[in-house]
Amino acid sequence: MKSIPYGRQHITDEDIKAVNAVLQSDYLTQGPEIPKFEAAFAEYTGARYAVAVSNGTAALHLCTLALNVEPGQKVITTPITFAASANCVRYSGGEVVFADIDPETYLLDIDAVRKMITNAPSGTFAGIIPVDFAGRAVNLEAFRALADEHNLWIVEDACHAPGGFFADTESKQQFCGNGRFADLAVFSFHPVKHIAAGEGGMVTTNSQEFYEKLLMLRTHGITKNEDAFQNTLEEAIGETQNSSLISQNYPIWYMEMQSLGYNYRLTDFQAALGLSQLKRADKGLQRRRTIAERYKSAFESIPIIDRNNDPGHAHHLYVVEAENRLGLYNHLREKKIYAQIHYIPLHLMPYYKNEGWKKGDLPNAEKYYERCISLPMYPTLTDAEQDWVIGVVKEFYTR
Ligand SMILES: Cc1ncc(COP(=O)(O)O)c(C=O)c1O
């Protein structure tokens, strides 16, 4: 059997054709593929606006910039996530406050967050960054209600969960990043994610104000929107001595840098790949759900806890809790099955320990970390390959 990773991209001939077409076109970047991808992604999530960026980390950073996170402001997030979910707060000088996870869902525990907010003086926290970890959608309706009570913003880290949903109080499916509950949501197009663009990211929002800010911040804080120009026409033309040159309009070349932004642009060939992949995202998600069902029924008789039983789960990762996790991990590796561990609790990373966090601060996250293991989960994993993985896991527990 060939080696099996925990996740991988799926590139089709259609994808290659789409990228090739852009490579042979006039625009490698800042061209027409970007708005096409953005419009299709907004439609897919149900959000009003989408802004494509260079990666998910840049997307998170732009969110904290758009929200004006300032030095000293406190933001709550989960310790069971990729570092970027928390680091984006630090980029803007804010302080990361980790709240524990719910041991049943592995998501940020809303009760822990509520307790944290209500026990602190009013105005202590600026916002919350819940993460749709492993592809399981956070109940953002509940988080929105809590955030509104305390005047907090929400950035949904939906990097694991395009197509995922939670059921609201009226049993309606609310899709990740749909803009209804979170102020902003972010996605990543890293190759292990549902939609691969090499690198890439997206921010979705229903707010026109955030949308316009994000567009500027993605490109150095520069705008070409004449209605928003701050300098006078004379300043724009730069020839105040020659009044005959002053026309009614700002010259075509003119643009203004109005705030300190970055170059967080996605290229057009990445956007073309992302768009091509987006077209079959539902098919990929369906296959992930089938793989999840097959795992679930296979593991009923062995000492593995499988909590992947949520109908809206987008199954980016297939996380289970295993007895003798290290032994299982090594056994799988011997057979060239490269399971992974998601995640080492962030508050125990040396960087965050230096910020004052320590073992014992978040017991649910720490207990989860002792047992979690992510088994292979990607649409091109064949039934035969999955059966091989299942057989090797079972063999470990029955030998
Ligand atoms: C939950 C989460 N947030 C943010 C990111 C950052 O995305 P990117 O790798 O595209 O910068 C990742 C990527 O692994 C992630 O898993």
Side-chain angles (χ1 to χ4, degrees):
M1 189 57 81
K2 66 178 182 187
S3 67
I4 301 180
Y6 80 90
R8 62 161 293 139
Q9 74 276 13
H10 176 214
I11 301 293
T12 63
D13 289 346
E14 281 298 301
D15 292 340
I16 293 166
K17 257 193 238 159
V19 172
N20 272 341
V22 174
L23 291 177
Q24 289 164 352
S25 77
D26 290 338
Y27 292 95
L28 296 187
T29 191
Q30 295 175 281
E33 294 303 311
I34 304 294
K36 268 202 253 171
F37 185 32
E38 289 172 335
F41 199 83
E43 194 184 333
Y44 184 70
T45 55
R48 216 167 285 157
Y49 306 103
V51 177
V53 293
S54 47
N55 54 62
T57 306
L60 283 160
H61 187 198
L62 288 190
C63 290
T64 58
L65 290 168
L67 288 158
N68 297 320
V69 173
E70 286 169 6
Q73 276 193 342
K74 289 183 164 66
V75 176
I76 300 171
T77 193
T78 168
I80 299 300
T81 185
F82 184 63
S85 316
N87 294 352
C88 62
V89 177
R90 301 293 300 135
Y91 298 154
S92 296
E95 187 182 323
V96 179
V97 181
F98 295 106
D100 213 346
I101 60 162
D102 175 340
E104 297 289 319
T105 61
Y106 315 142
L107 304 178
L108 188 61
D109 179 358
I110 191 165
D111 294 328
V113 174
R114 183 178 292 110
K115 209 187 263 177
M116 195 172 254
I117 296 170
T118 47
N119 286 347
S122 163
T124 300
F125 297 101
I128 312 173
I129 306 181
V131 179
D132 301 315
F133 168 66
R136 188 177 210 132
V138 171
N139 183 335
L140 285 180
E141 188 184 32
F143 269 99
R144 183 77 263 170
L146 177 64
D148 284 349
E149 266 176 55
H150 299 277
N151 199 23
L152 307 182
W153 49 254
I154 297 176
V155 173
E156 175 188 10
D157 183 336
C159 286
H160 293 186
F165 63 83
F166 70 92
D168 68 13
T169 42
E170 291 171 4
S171 304
K172 277 201 201 115
Q173 295 178 356
Q174 297 291 348
F175 285 86
C176 295
N178 71 5
R180 295 244 184 110
F181 304 101
D183 298 279
L184 297 149
V186 302
F187 294 86
S188 162
F189 307 127
H190 180 276
V192 293
K193 303 294 197 298
H194 292 64
I195 295 160
E199 298 282 354
M202 193 75 81
V203 185
T204 59
T205 183
N206 277 1
S207 154
Q208 187 178 349
E209 187 187 333
F210 282 137
Y211 172 63
E212 285 168 4
K213 262 189 177 177
L214 292 166
L215 288 180
M216 279 183 72
L217 289 167
R218 161 178 84 177
T219 311
H220 309 280
I222 288 172
T223 183
K224 287 187 169 185
N225 176 5
E226 183 168 334
D227 295 337
F229 286 160
Q230 295 171 9
N231 283 341
T232 63
L233 197 54
E234 287 88 345
E235 286 172 313
I237 292 171
E239 290 189 39
T240 48
Q241 304 307 312
N242 188 348
S243 59
S244 67
L245 285 177
I246 296 178
S247 65
Q248 289 302 308
N249 298 315
Y250 283 83
I252 303 287
W253 74 74
Y254 189 67
M255 58 177 166
E256 281 185 0
M257 185 204 127
Q258 297 181 341
S259 59
L260 190 63
Y262 294 79
N263 177 356
Y264 281 164
R265 292 188 298 261
L266 190 71
T267 64
D268 274 55
F269 45 95
Q270 288 171 308
L273 180 54
L275 182 59
S276 179
Q277 297 239 327
L278 180 60
K279 287 178 187 159
R280 56 175 200 283
D282 281 337
K283 209 169 141 203
L285 185 51
Q286 236 173 40
R287 175 67 190 150
R288 286 174 187 270
R289 289 187 169 141
T290 303
I291 292 169
E293 283 303 318
R294 294 181 91 248
Y295 271 138
K296 196 141 47 84
S297 52
F299 291 150
E300 274 158 10
S301 57
I302 54 171
I304 267 187
I305 299 172
D306 184 338
R307 303 186 199 274
N308 296 286
N309 54 351
D310 185 305
H313 206 307
H315 298 297
H316 161 53
L317 303 172
Y318 201 81
V319 177
V320 293
E321 291 173 62
E323 234 170 61
N324 187 5
R325 187 262 312 268
L326 178 60
L328 175 62
Y329 176 86
N330 287 335
H331 181 69
L332 288 164
R333 270 190 91 78
E334 275 168 25
K335 309 279 183 185
K336 296 201 287 186
I337 298 168
Y338 299 111
Q340 190 48 284
I341 308 303
H342 298 95
Y343 289 97
I344 302 164
L346 262 185
H347 70 291
L348 300 180
M349 289 290 173
Y351 175 82
Y352 284 105
K353 277 163 79 180
N354 281 336
E355 297 286 306
W357 293 90
K358 59 183 186 317
K359 195 157 169 65
D361 282 346
L362 301 163
N364 291 345
E366 291 166 27
K367 200 155 168 248
Y368 161 83
Y369 173 58
E370 284 174 21
R371 295 163 62 93
C372 67
I373 184 164
S374 306
L375 299 175
M377 167 57 85
Y378 48 92
T380 53
L381 183 72
T382 64
D383 286 357
E385 287 166 340
Q386 190 186 9
D387 289 343
W388 163 243
V389 174
I390 290 167
V392 173
V393 172
K394 283 189 167 171
E395 176 191 71
F396 177 73
Y397 288 110
T398 52
R399 62 193 176 153

